[in-house]
Amino acid sequence: MLCSLLLCVEQTAHGYQDAELVPGQYYSASESQHAHKMIQRYMRYSTAATSFVDTSTGWTACGQACVSPDVHDVMLNLTWHVDSPLSDGLIAVHHRSQEIVVSWAGTHRYRALVADMSVFPQPYILGASTHVHGGFLDAVRGVIDLVQLHVEHLMSDYPDYMVIFTGHSKGGAEAALGALDLVRRVDGLRDRVRVWTFGQPRVGNEQFAALYNQQLGARTYRVTSYADPVVAMPPRFLFDYCHHNTEVWLMNREGDIYVGRNNTGCNEDPHASSSVDFYDRSIQWHKDYLGLPPLDHATAMFSW
């Protein structure tokens, strides 16, 4: 496995293959077709979580995102919808791609806006200097025991399956935190885990980013869309917020890609999304990750 040079390029015994993306390199859209397919697949899971699919109704609630051929035969294992601390998400099994997917919902409830704005940091590890966004941490810690129980059972049932953590926006931040929590708790998970996030805001301070990079940086695809303003929040001057590795920047709607050089400290690659001035950013880019979420997702009702 070449995690030192590539972003965890690995061919496992069951055929899983990561996107072959080298930090510091540019890729044209035509060179990025495998990465595009993976981005679109995991964005569909992120859309499903934000659309509140539920085990009682099945894999039907997220419109076009749920009927795409690459996810149409998903089996839901768990859905959760918790009001306090606010958290929504799902765990699914996809036998065709041999994946266990843990997907966290983005901001699609009004009260989620309160969690988004709870930027005052909390200690990630008590007594340590690692601090993270309080609202995101509360959301994850409120359900992580339940998520762990199901993930461990599924890992035992399907020992050759990869475990994917994913989410868009707020859900991306919670996917990263949830993955790190479980890697520190569950034996054998680190070798099987991948993290795909989209439009993820900054999660914690420089010390947290260093911890994350040590554990999961080479197993994470932090996808950013050209001028997405959410990925620039919270601002770096606020409580020393920093991004973790590894950024995959979609440079335009065609899907040209630049892979950010891996951070040390708080040195985000100036050639990736941080190269876009904040005043040139538009929320429309937060809603467009290679055409996802689909248009019918926008009609889903915001709820309390």
Side-chain angles (χ1 to χ4, degrees), residues 178-246:
L180 184 58
D181 263 10
L182 290 194
V183 161
R184 298 176 67 241
R185 293 183 180 200
V186 178
D187 291 340
L189 177 58
R190 185 170 181 268
D191 292 334
R192 295 171 60 178
V193 75
R194 297 294 182 269
V195 183
W196 284 83
T197 72
F198 308 94
Q200 174 194 321
R202 295 184 178 101
V203 176
N205 65 359
E206 181 176 345
Q207 290 78 11
F208 172 80
L211 173 66
Y212 187 95
N213 291 342
Q214 178 188 36
Q215 295 292 320
L216 286 172
R219 291 169 168 79
T220 295
Y221 301 83
R222 183 172 56 79
V223 184
T224 58
S225 187
Y226 172 65
D228 185 341
V230 174
V231 304
M233 301 299 290
R236 290 177 59 173
F237 64 79
L238 188 65
F239 303 117
D240 188 33
Y241 274 99
C242 293
H243 269 307
H244 59 72
N245 298 334
T246 296

Side-chain angles (χ1 to χ4, degrees), residues 79-96:
T79 57
W80 69 87
H81 308 288
V82 179
D83 289 339
S84 182
L86 181 74
S87 183
D88 299 279
L90 63 88
I91 300 177
V93 179
H94 194 217
H95 295 297
R96 186 154 50 88

Side-chain angles (χ1 to χ4, degrees), residues 12-298:
T12 67
H14 52 78
Y16 180 91
Q17 185 175 2
D18 285 312
E20 299 186 13
L21 299 173
V22 181
Q25 296 296 313
Y26 292 89
Y27 299 88
S28 68
S30 62
E31 296 172 317
S32 306
Q33 291 305 298
H34 178 60
H36 287 185
K37 289 178 181 178
M38 299 184 82
I39 289 168
Q40 290 172 324
R41 180 160 82 239
Y42 300 127
M43 265 300 298
R44 291 185 177 103
Y45 284 105
S46 301
T47 299
T50 304
S51 298
F52 307 148
V53 297
D54 195 275
T55 51
S56 63
T57 56
W59 190 252
T60 59
C62 64
Q64 291 301 310
C66 286
V67 299
S68 176
D70 60 348
V71 295
H72 77 275
D73 52 354
V74 165
M75 296 177 59
L76 287 172
N77 173 264
L78 170 72
T79 57
W80 69 87
H81 308 288
V82 179
D83 289 339
S84 182
L86 181 74
S87 183
D88 299 279
L90 63 88
I91 300 177
V93 179
H94 194 217
H95 295 297
R96 186 154 50 88
S97 60
Q98 295 187 301
E99 293 173 344
I100 301 160
V101 181
V102 185
S103 183
W104 303 73
T107 303
H108 214 61
R109 289 211 261 171
Y110 290 114
R111 70 180 72 186
L113 298 171
V114 178
D116 291 347
M117 292 185 289
S118 300
V119 299
F120 195 82
Q122 295 182 19
Y124 179 71
I125 300 173
L126 292 177
S129 58
T130 49
H131 291 84
V132 298
H133 186 291
F136 301 152
L137 184 64
D138 286 345
V140 170
R141 293 283 168 85
V143 297
I144 198 65
D145 291 340
L146 176 65
V147 172
Q148 177 179 347
L149 179 66
H150 282 256
V151 167
E152 287 183 317
H153 284 168
L154 290 170
M155 288 176 64
S156 177
D157 289 344
Y158 306 108
D160 292 330
Y161 285 25
M162 299 296 288
V163 182
I164 311 297
F165 286 76
T166 191
H168 174 259
S169 193
K170 168 181 173 287
E174 292 170 10
L177 281 169
L180 184 58
D181 263 10
L182 290 194
V183 161
R184 298 176 67 241
R185 293 183 180 200
V186 178
D187 291 340
L189 177 58
R190 185 170 181 268
D191 292 334
R192 295 171 60 178
V193 75
R194 297 294 182 269
V195 183
W196 284 83
T197 72
F198 308 94
Q200 174 194 321
R202 295 184 178 101
V203 176
N205 65 359
E206 181 176 345
Q207 290 78 11
F208 172 80
L211 173 66
Y212 187 95
N213 291 342
Q214 178 188 36
Q215 295 292 320
L216 286 172
R219 291 169 168 79
T220 295
Y221 301 83
R222 183 172 56 79
V223 184
T224 58
S225 187
Y226 172 65
D228 185 341
V230 174
V231 304
M233 301 299 290
R236 290 177 59 173
F237 64 79
L238 188 65
F239 303 117
D240 188 33
Y241 274 99
C242 293
H243 269 307
H244 59 72
N245 298 334
T246 296
E247 181 177 8
V248 178
W249 185 38
L250 297 170
M251 302 172 62
N252 46 48
R253 287 193 168 87
E254 288 70 33
D256 295 333
I257 285 175
Y258 173 71
V259 184
R261 294 185 184 276
N262 286 338
N263 304 334
T264 56
C266 214
N267 300 314
E268 297 172 14
D269 191 327
H271 304 292
S273 64
S274 61
S275 65
V276 180
D277 188 275
F278 187 81
Y279 296 102
D280 292 330
R281 296 175 183 268
S282 167
I283 197 63
Q284 294 306 314
W285 287 100
H286 190 58
K287 302 175 182 178
D288 187 357
Y289 278 76
L290 297 180
L292 292 167
L295 292 177
D296 64 350
H297 171 67

